[in-house]
Amino acid sequence: MGPVSCILHFGPNFPGAWAKYPTIKSLMGPDPHLKWVVAGMVFTQLLACYLVRNLAWKWLFFWAYAFGGCINHSMTLAIHDISHNVAFGNKQARWNRWFAIFANLPVGLPYSASFKKYHIDHHRYLGGHYLDVDIPTDFEGWLFCTPLRKLVWLTLQPLFYALRPLCVNPKAITEMEIFNALIQFSFDLLVFYLWGLKPIIYMISGTLLCMGLHPISGHFIAEHYMFLKGYETYSYYGPLNCITFNVGYHMEHHDFPSIPGSKLPMVKKIAAEYYDTLPQHQSWVRVLLDFIFDDTIGPYSRVKRICKLASESQ
């Protein structure tokens, strides 16, 4: 495919749903409850850090996978929501950036500022070659093509998500990224000073484990891998949305990225005719199993476009 203008601010259902149901506009804007939910999660993890300080290593990793990592993965999805300015609104963009850094604390590694920098491109250039770093590289598609290799790839997803942007589309380090790193590592040092090494291992291992081979991580594959030809974005309406800020409502999110995750079910309810007939996933665990064992699905199963970089005015 030749170069195309690839400015995808909204998904394919946006024009019809917006025109027919203008009340959807009322759902846009900040979620007043998000900051309190996130604060509660941060302090829950802080309490957990205190409680695991003397645990045996086997129990430390068990709770990191079964509990702490679930919260941390959920926190990364809160950061995803915050990256769309839904914590304090578009007029308080700086507050959203700082609040995302606060939400980042229990994750253990600086993440929020870099995520924001690249996530805007994921929406603007969905599937854009070299622009959307959510797209696996050709090397990943070539190497991880058997069930065992795909299992390894899923396990190492956090590593690929962290390194891929640096290889595919490196960007200059921003001031917010420096602040993110300084605040995060200062927090880690404080936790280490107070309670030792185990809480640090609890936070970081939980993040890495639960963003790898874990039921919640099924959303990484479910969102944009082309399980059916011609459909590149899918929603999931199951119970795991309750702990993932409704990231499963992914078609709705791409149609209306400025609507908080908490209100995306209302989008589907209002404009049901645009979403009920679309292919959807019933289980993120099933998504992972299909990805591993179905020979027709792998890292290559993504729509890739050659995009012209949008001008700043756009």
Side-chain angles (χ1 to χ4, degrees), residues 1-302:
M1 181 184 294
V4 295
S5 180
C6 194
I7 308 170
L8 299 173
H9 295 285
F10 306 103
N13 295 308
F14 171 74
W18 178 270
K20 191 169 184 179
Y21 301 106
T23 55
I24 288 177
K25 184 177 181 180
S26 66
L27 302 178
M28 297 179 177
D31 177 357
H33 304 294
L34 180 61
K35 55 183 173 292
W36 304 114
V37 173
V38 168
M41 294 168 68
V42 170
F43 289 114
T44 296
Q45 281 293 71
L46 195 60
L47 175 61
C49 285
Y50 170 78
L51 294 175
V52 304
R53 70 196 189 284
N54 294 320
L55 278 184
W57 286 107
K58 63 179 181 180
W59 290 112
L60 179 84
F61 287 111
F62 170 81
W63 287 112
Y65 185 81
F67 178 74
C70 296
I71 292 181
N72 283 1
H73 195 145
S74 181
M75 193 67 82
T76 66
L77 296 171
I79 291 170
H80 163 259
D81 239 19
I82 297 166
S83 74
H84 291 284
N85 292 335
V86 301
F88 296 97
N90 290 322
K91 294 182 179 180
Q92 302 290 346
R94 196 76 170 180
W95 287 27
N96 287 283
R97 301 292 83 76
W98 285 108
F99 188 64
I101 291 175
F102 170 73
N104 196 149
L105 294 178
V107 175
L109 297 169
Y111 157 84
S112 64
S114 298
F115 176 81
K116 167 67 178 179
K117 183 171 68 174
Y118 284 101
H119 188 62
I120 185 72
D121 287 344
H122 172 65
H123 278 268
R124 180 170 289 183
Y125 311 106
L126 181 63
H129 193 38
Y130 296 123
L131 295 172
D132 181 2
V133 296
D134 192 55
I135 298 286
T137 62
D138 290 340
F139 172 77
E140 292 170 74
W142 168 77
L143 181 61
F144 300 102
C145 57
T146 67
L148 180 59
R149 293 179 185 180
K150 286 189 282 186
L151 179 66
V152 172
W153 185 78
L154 289 173
T155 304
L156 298 179
Q157 268 194 112
L159 179 65
F160 288 110
Y161 269 90
L163 296 180
R164 191 185 299 137
L166 303 179
C167 300
V168 173
N169 186 18
K171 295 185 178 185
I173 296 175
T174 66
E175 183 181 74
M176 289 304 294
E177 286 179 290
I178 294 173
F179 287 137
N180 190 185
L182 289 175
I183 292 171
Q184 183 64 57
F185 292 133
S186 297
F187 174 79
D188 292 346
L189 285 173
L190 177 62
V191 171
F192 175 76
Y193 174 78
L194 292 173
W195 302 314
L197 180 62
K198 286 185 177 180
I200 304 297
I201 300 299
Y202 164 80
M203 290 190 295
I204 295 176
S205 66
T207 298
L208 298 178
L209 289 170
C210 284
M211 294 187 73
L213 193 62
H214 191 278
I216 298 177
S217 292
H219 79 86
F220 288 126
I221 305 301
E223 291 165 1
H224 296 296
Y225 282 77
M226 196 161 57
F227 283 74
L228 292 176
K229 188 174 182 180
Y231 295 92
E232 62 176 307
T233 303
Y234 301 78
S235 286
Y236 155 81
Y237 303 118
L240 289 178
N241 279 300
C242 294
I243 59 172
T244 56
F245 294 90
N246 287 324
V247 74
Y249 289 76
H250 215 67
M251 179 65 78
E252 294 84 349
H253 170 63
H254 273 266
D255 285 342
F256 304 101
S258 59
I259 294 180
S262 62
K263 298 180 181 179
L264 289 176
M266 297 176 66
V267 173
K268 181 180 182 297
K269 184 177 180 180
I270 292 171
E273 64 182 287
Y274 290 94
Y275 298 105
D276 286 350
T277 58
L278 293 173
Q280 57 188 253
H281 292 293
Q282 303 299 322
S283 165
W284 282 341
V285 174
R286 181 68 185 180
V287 165
L288 292 174
L289 291 173
D290 287 344
F291 181 83
I292 293 170
F293 294 109
D294 189 334
D295 292 338
T296 66
I297 303 172
Y300 272 139
S301 302
R302 293 289 299 264

